[in-house]
């Protein structure tokens, strides 16, 4: 039977009620190995098997001994008692403090199934209860999602029409990738992916004569592109690099004046800035070269190649995960406007190819079934990357996207899906707030990961293997009937069953369930999606036929997508949803906000931490904390594929040979990585494909402090987010700035502490 995951579709083999193997989908040309972690993990020892409550909380009620979260035993309780506890606490908090005292901040890709999707389930449940403080944006795209509607269009709308790889194969001559097109990232996709095509398509592009340029500190960011030119610029200097290209293009008179006049607004203020007429500093190739630490003629030569070729500019998601992260995106769009190729086959820009596997697929923008979440009665969401600020500063003020906002006073957190001790920055700061502010933390969780260990009440949730569901994602070419492979492990329940039980206690069951069982919901959602499918010229079979067959193949579009083709053909009939209806190189709206860290057009700002700053004398390595190749974020870090990649049990950090040698470090050593925010241990790999002065430590190692009773303890497993900067990208976007981080590395001496991330918590009997 088939199941869908965020890293692929697999055929699941079961014997005597146990998963024995998963085999990649036979239609997948480049399957991900991550799925091989499933058999050992799903029924392994780390499953949450019973409802559990932190002992002090069980004995003394909400708010008891909050400082002991993560450092004291749990007590197993019955489902009936657990549901009573959670329902009573939700009622207490919402009655005494209002629904704005509840943060239901689910974040993460907990399931590729469209019904049993934890984030949708918890949001629907809370909306039926009157609402909750939600988050807006994502860690992956916080800056982009806020900026792009102001200057172009909604991010998801833009992604749905991204130029297909086959169009590049037929028409593109030069693909310039800022941040590369990392194939390891393309293993995954929110909602699932049935066919991995990025690596095969890059080979096809090369065979068709497309040339590649990788502007990135990491050669591996474009290692699958045959013959790619690597330009190892300093991290966080992409905006300066693009400004140097723009200056060369404008100075040479090669900018497309007709395109700028017809399709864009207010080019002149930007031109004056680039040419130095505004501030007396010309943003020339030489100016950019000094910031980026690359030769000036590399920039000028590339600018000449771009104007002489059908050029696609790719700007990776990673670039906007740094201080002033909106600037490289704004600048990438502006650079494409200068070339005038937006809306042409094989030309323009992409934001981006490579961060997930579906980008560039030759597929219809159809998403399949979607669970309605209802309307949130609380209208004050926070930017997702500002969780610690919210907990530390109830009633505090901050600016966001032109609005003056106030942080709520959070008394209760309900988390279902995701792991804040992976996603968030400056984890030591988050832990202090986590242990001091909320009175109650409740999680639905499958495994005893840090999210569970630092909670008060833990409710055991099923995995995708233990329930029926429908796997489908926007632009994927298959819809999968995900049939239950095994019975629920121990006492685990689906999120739907958990929230149904809670709704019954709280008087919202009819509103939450609409009188449907999980099976009835699957049929209902599928049939609703069949109606929507007709708008895309897709005829879906009956639910019975789909469930019997096991999958549906969605036909590709008649013509490959070319982003903004219609806008280029007739910008008056196909106006963009911006105030001007055009691409806003200069945005009067943003300019009117008067933000000192984000004016009305793209500019260069020096990041808070970078290799050109005075702080680099103390911490001379720029830390890149990117997506791992052996798991999705922190999911299945305890699985066989992820564990096999560890070095002496720790996450592997990659250093340039020069940086390793100067510190007396060799491959296979364990090092201490540190700055003023914290320290962690990591294993070492040495690779000359990393720019000197850069250290690479993937995210997702389960948070594992040396002394769990203390804050600010040494993290011994290799979680880079004890080091990363927790600062909003700007007042406009308030995104994640994780890629703006300086560190130092030293050889760890002495006895290595054991890894305890994969140990179960201690369990106690009740008092």
């Amino acid at each position: 039977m088939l199941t869908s995951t965020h890293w692929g579709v697999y055929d699941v083999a079961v014997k005597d009620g146990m998963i024995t193997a998963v085999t990649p989908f036979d239609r997948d040309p480049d399957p991900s190995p991550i799925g091989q972690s499933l058999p050992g993990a799903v029924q392994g020892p780390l499953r949450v098997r019973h409802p559990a409550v932190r002992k002090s909380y069980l004995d003394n009620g909400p708010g008891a001994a909050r400082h002991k979260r993560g450092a004291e035993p749990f007590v197993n309780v019955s489902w009936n008692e657990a549901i009573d506890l959670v329902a009573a606490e939700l009622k207490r908090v919402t009655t005494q403090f209002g629904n704005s005292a509840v943060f239901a901040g689910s974040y993460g890709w907990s399931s590729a199934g469209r019904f049993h999707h934890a984030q949708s389930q918890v949001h629907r449940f809370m909306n039926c209860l009157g609402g909750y403080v939600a988050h807006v944006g994502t860690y992956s795209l916080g800056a982009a999602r806020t900026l792009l509607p102001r200057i172009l269009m909604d991010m998801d709308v833009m992604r749905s029409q991204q130029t297909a790889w086959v169009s590049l194969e037929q028409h593109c001559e030069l693909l310039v990738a800022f941040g590369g097109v990392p194939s390891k990232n393309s293993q995954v996709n929110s909602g699932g992916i049935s066919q991995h095509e990025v690596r095969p398509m890059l080979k096809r592009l090369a065979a068709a004569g497309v040339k590649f340029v990788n502007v990135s500190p990491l050669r591996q960011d474009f290692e699958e592109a045959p013959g790619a030119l690597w330009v190892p610029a300093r991290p966080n200097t992409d905006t300066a690099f693009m400004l140097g290209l723009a200056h060369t293009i404008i100075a040479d008179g090669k900018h497309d004046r007709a395109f700028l006049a017809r399709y864009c607004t207010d080019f002149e203020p930007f031109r004056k800035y680039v040419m130095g007429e505004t501030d007396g500093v010309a943003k020339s190739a030489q100016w950019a070269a000094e910031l980026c630490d690359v030769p000036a003629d590399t920039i000028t030569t590339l600018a000449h190649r771009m104007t002489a070729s059908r050029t696609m500019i790719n700007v990776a998601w990673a670039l906007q995960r740094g201080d002033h992260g909106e600037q490289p995106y704004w600048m990438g769009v502006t650079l494409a406007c200068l070339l005038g190729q937006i809306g042409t086959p094989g030309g323009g820009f992409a934001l981006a190819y490579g961060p997930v596997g579906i980008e560039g697929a030759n597929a219809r923008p159809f998403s399949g079934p979607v669970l309605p979440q209802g309307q949130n009665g609380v209208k004050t969401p926070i930017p997702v990357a500002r969780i610690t600020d919210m907990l530390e500063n109830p009633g505090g003020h901050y600016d966001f996207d032109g609005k003056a906002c106030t942080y709520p006073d959070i008394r209760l957190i309900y988390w279902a899906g995701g792991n804040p001790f992976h996603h968030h920055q400056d984890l030591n700061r988050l832990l202090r707030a986590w242990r001091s502010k909320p009175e109650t933390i409740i999680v639905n969780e499958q495994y005893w990961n840090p999210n569970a260990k630092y909670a008060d009440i833990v409710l055991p949730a099923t995995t995708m293997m233990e329930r029926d569901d429908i796997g489908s994602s926007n632009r994927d070419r298959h819809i999968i009937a995900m049939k239950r492979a095994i019975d629920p492990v121990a006492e685990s329940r689906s999120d739907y069953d958990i929230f149904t039980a809670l709704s019954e206690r709280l008087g919202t069951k009819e509103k939450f369930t609409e009188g449907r069982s999980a099976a009835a919901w699957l049929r209902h959602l599928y049939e609703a999606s069949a109606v929507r499918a007709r708008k895309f010229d897709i005829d879906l079979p009956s639910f019975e036929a789909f469930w019997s067959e096991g999958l549906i193949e969605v036909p590709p579009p008649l013509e490959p997508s070319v982003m903004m083709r219609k806008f280029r053909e007739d910008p008056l009939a196909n106006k963009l949803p911006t105030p001007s209806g055009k691409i806003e190189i200069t945005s009067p709206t943003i300019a009117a906000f008067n933000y000192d860290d984000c004016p009305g057009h793209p500019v260069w700002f020096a990041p808070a931490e970078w290799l050109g700053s005075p702080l680099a004398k103390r911490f001379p390595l720029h830390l890149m904390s990117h997506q791992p190749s052996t798991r999705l974020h922190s999911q299945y870090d305890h699985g066989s594929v992820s564990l096999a990649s560890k070095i002496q049990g720790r996450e592997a950090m990659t250093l340039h040979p020069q940086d390793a040698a100067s510190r007396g470090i060799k491959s296979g050593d364990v090092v201490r990585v540190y700055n003023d925010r914290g320290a962690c241990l990591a294993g070492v790999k040495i690779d000359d494909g990393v720019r000197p002065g850069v250290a690479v430590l993937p995210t997702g190692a389960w948070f594992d402090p040396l002394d769990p009773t203390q804050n600010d303890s040494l993290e011994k497993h290799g979680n880079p987010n004890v080091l990363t900067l927790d600062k909003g990208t700007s007042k406009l976007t308030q995104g994640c700035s994780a890629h703006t981080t300086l560190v130092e590395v030293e050889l760890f001496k002495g006895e290595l502490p054991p890894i305890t991330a994969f140990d179960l918590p201690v369990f106690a009997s009740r008092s």
Side-chain angles (χ1 to χ4, degrees):
M1 62 194 73
L2 295 178
T3 196
S4 180
T5 73
H6 296 298
W7 45 88
V9 173
Y10 298 89
D11 194 354
V12 183
V14 177
K15 183 177 181 180
D16 298 329
M18 299 292 291
I19 300 167
T20 57
V22 293
T23 304
F25 189 40
D26 58 10
R27 303 184 192 185
D28 191 342
D30 186 27
S32 167
I34 296 175
Q36 300 310 315
S37 284
L38 292 172
V42 167
Q43 292 166 299
L46 279 173
R47 282 299 297 271
V48 181
R49 284 174 153 74
H50 311 282
V53 183
R54 187 171 60 86
K55 191 172 188 308
S56 292
Y57 188 98
L58 185 64
D59 291 343
N60 301 304
R66 286 174 272 196
H67 64 285
K68 291 185 178 181
R69 285 180 180 136
E72 74 166 327
F74 283 87
V75 177
N76 287 332
V77 300
S78 69
W79 265 113
N80 194 53
E81 183 175 6
I83 294 296
D84 282 344
L85 278 172
V86 173
E89 183 60 358
L90 282 165
K91 186 173 183 179
R92 180 187 76 86
V93 171
T94 55
T95 299
Q96 292 187 16
F97 306 104
N99 288 65
S100 61
V102 178
F103 180 55
S106 173
Y107 184 90
W109 294 2
S110 66
S111 172
R114 293 298 83 196
F115 175 65
H116 292 293
H117 179 250
Q119 186 180 91
S120 299
Q121 290 283 346
V122 69
H123 289 175
R124 179 179 174 86
F125 166 73
M126 287 304 308
N127 284 336
C128 291
L129 197 60
Y132 61 101
V133 174
H135 73 257
V136 292
T138 66
Y139 289 95
S140 297
L141 285 167
R145 286 192 180 280
T146 304
L147 170 73
L148 288 175
R150 298 291 187 187
I151 67 166
L152 195 67
M153 66 182 78
D154 177 82
M155 181 74 176
D156 288 333
V157 174
M158 186 204 72
R159 292 176 63 196
S160 72
Q161 56 178 276
Q162 186 153 301
T163 300
W165 285 112
V166 290
S167 177
L168 271 65
E169 181 182 17
Q170 296 165 3
H171 301 284
C172 184
E173 297 173 309
L174 179 64
L175 174 54
V176 180
F178 293 91
V181 180
S183 60
K184 64 178 178 57
N185 292 17
S186 67
Q187 294 181 92
V188 304
N189 187 65
S190 179
I193 179 169
S194 61
Q195 294 177 300
H196 295 84
E197 298 181 311
V198 171
R199 293 199 299 184
M201 283 306 308
L202 287 173
K203 293 177 182 177
R204 284 175 54 177
L205 263 61
V210 179
K211 304 300 181 185
F212 308 102
V213 178
N214 175 29
V215 183
S216 170
L218 310 179
R219 184 168 57 207
Q220 63 180 278
D221 276 347
F222 219 172
E223 63 185 352
E224 303 296 339
L229 171 66
W230 181 33
V231 182
R234 279 174 169 167
N236 286 189
T237 64
D238 302 86
T239 301
F241 194 107
M242 286 187 260
L243 284 166
L245 292 171
H247 184 279
T248 302
I249 293 168
I250 296 170
D252 290 349
K254 297 292 187 179
H255 53 300
D256 191 327
R257 293 179 175 85
F259 183 91
L260 292 165
R262 188 178 187 198
Y263 300 99
C264 309
T265 61
D266 297 321
F267 168 64
E268 188 61 13
F270 172 75
R271 186 200 66 79
K272 289 181 177 180
Y273 170 75
V274 172
M275 304 313 289
E277 297 171 21
T278 302
D279 57 6
V281 179
K283 313 309 180 293
S284 64
Q286 184 59 50
W287 169 88
E290 293 174 2
L291 295 169
C292 304
D293 192 27
V294 298
D297 62 0
T298 297
I299 299 174
T300 55
T301 299
L302 180 56
H304 298 155
R305 291 180 65 190
M306 293 171 73
T307 57
S309 306
R310 177 60 61 89
T311 301
M312 174 61 72
I313 299 169
N314 189 68
V315 187
W317 290 4
L319 269 59
Q320 52 85 67
R321 293 181 62 235
D323 196 16
H324 308 291
E326 61 284 333
Q327 298 302 328
Y329 263 41
W330 203 346
M331 190 59 226
V333 173
T334 301
L335 187 58
C337 291
L338 295 182
L339 298 181
Q341 298 180 23
I342 294 172
T344 64
F349 67 92
L351 305 175
Y353 298 107
V356 292
I358 211 69
E359 306 301 329
N362 186 29
R364 298 170 193 257
F366 173 64
S367 63
V370 178
L371 178 67
Q373 296 183 17
Q375 296 297 315
N376 192 344
V378 177
K379 306 301 183 184
T380 55
I382 66 160
V384 68
R386 304 272 58 81
I387 292 175
T388 304
D389 288 355
M390 173 187 70
L391 295 177
E392 288 182 339
N393 301 294
H397 301 290
Y398 66 101
D399 292 305
F400 174 53
D401 194 22
K403 300 180 287 292
C405 305
T406 303
Y407 286 120
D409 186 0
I410 296 300
R411 305 300 179 105
L412 183 151
I413 294 175
Y414 201 137
W415 211 282
N419 174 10
F421 290 93
H422 151 67
H423 274 108
H424 207 71
Q425 287 64 64
D426 195 350
L427 288 180
N428 288 320
R429 181 178 166 225
L430 173 66
L431 181 57
R432 290 192 294 272
W434 201 259
R435 280 176 155 168
S436 60
K437 183 61 182 74
E439 296 166 6
T440 300
I441 299 174
I442 306 162
V443 303
N444 296 1
E445 187 51 74
Q446 300 164 349
Y447 300 104
W448 279 107
N449 62 16
N451 184 43
K453 291 178 179 178
Y454 284 91
D456 297 317
I457 303 173
V458 183
L459 305 179
T462 53
T463 70
M464 80 288 283
M465 300 290 193
E466 301 151 72
R467 57 206 182 199
D468 291 336
D469 211 335
I470 299 173
S472 175
S473 70
N474 190 17
R475 291 172 290 150
D476 193 52
R477 285 201 285 273
H478 292 89
I479 301 174
I480 307 297
M482 300 170 59
K483 299 177 183 179
R484 189 172 82 171
I486 58 173
D487 291 335
V489 170
E491 289 191 276
S492 60
R493 295 182 179 180
S494 71
D495 293 295
Y496 182 67
D497 286 344
I498 294 170
F499 290 128
T500 296
L502 287 169
S503 296
E504 187 168 23
R505 296 287 205 284
L506 294 164
T508 59
K509 181 180 178 181
E510 182 59 33
K511 188 175 183 180
F512 176 71
T513 68
E514 298 184 17
R516 296 188 184 96
S517 65
W521 268 110
L522 292 184
R523 177 184 291 274
H524 173 75
L525 296 178
Y526 177 86
E527 291 174 349
S529 72
V531 175
R532 288 189 293 105
R534 296 187 194 112
K535 299 178 182 178
F536 299 92
D537 297 321
I538 300 169
D539 290 320
L540 297 183
S542 68
F543 179 78
E544 289 81 5
F546 159 63
W547 201 252
S548 174
E549 182 65 23
L551 79 161
I552 298 168
E553 183 168 3
V554 179
L558 297 178
E559 293 185 7
S561 175
V562 173
M563 190 166 68
M564 301 178 69
R565 187 206 302 260
K566 291 183 178 180
F567 173 68
R568 186 183 184 94
E569 290 172 350
D570 190 339
L572 294 178
N574 301 288
K575 291 182 178 180
L576 300 179
T578 58
S580 64
K582 299 182 179 183
I583 302 170
E584 301 215 348
I585 293 176
T586 299
S587 166
T589 301
I590 294 175
F593 296 156
N594 292 315
Y595 291 149
D596 57 359
D597 57 359
C598 187
H601 59 69
V603 298
W604 157 256
F605 283 109
E609 298 180 15
W610 68 301
L611 292 175
S613 66
L615 188 64
K617 293 180 180 178
R618 291 180 56 215
F619 303 112
L621 296 174
H622 195 120
L623 179 68
M624 306 300 295
S625 51
H626 61 187
Q627 168 69 22
S629 61
T630 59
R631 57 185 177 268
L632 169 60
H633 301 315
S634 68
Q635 287 188 41
Y636 293 93
D637 187 36
H638 63 305
S640 59
V641 177
S642 181
L643 291 175
S645 71
K646 309 280 185 177
I647 295 176
Q648 298 193 53
R650 333 276 154 172
E651 193 65 24
M653 165 177 273
T654 307
L655 295 172
H656 188 274
Q658 172 183 308
D659 293 321
S662 66
R663 292 166 174 78
I665 296 167
K666 64 182 183 300
S667 184
D669 283 342
V670 172
V671 294
R672 175 176 173 264
V673 192
Y674 64 96
N675 59 20
D676 288 336
R677 287 179 288 274
C680 70
L681 302 183
V684 172
K685 295 192 300 185
I686 297 174
D687 188 346
D688 64 3
V690 174
R691 177 195 158 91
V694 172
V696 184
L697 183 59
T699 61
W702 284 8
F703 181 61
D704 193 15
L706 180 64
D707 185 351
T709 68
Q710 299 295 318
N711 297 325
D712 303 303
S713 181
L714 172 70
E715 202 285 327
K716 54 191 175 165
H717 190 206
N719 187 318
N721 275 329
V722 299
L723 306 160
T724 47
L725 178 67
D726 188 11
K727 171 189 179 297
T729 41
S730 71
K731 293 174 183 174
L732 177 74
T733 59
Q734 292 290 0
C736 159
S737 294
H739 282 318
T740 298
T741 298
L742 293 179
V743 300
E744 178 56 293
V745 172
E746 63 183 10
L747 185 67
F748 182 80
K749 298 178 180 179
E751 184 177 352
L752 279 173
I755 299 297
T756 53
F758 308 124
D759 291 353
L760 289 170
V762 174
F763 291 93
S765 57
R766 4 185 20 132
S767 300

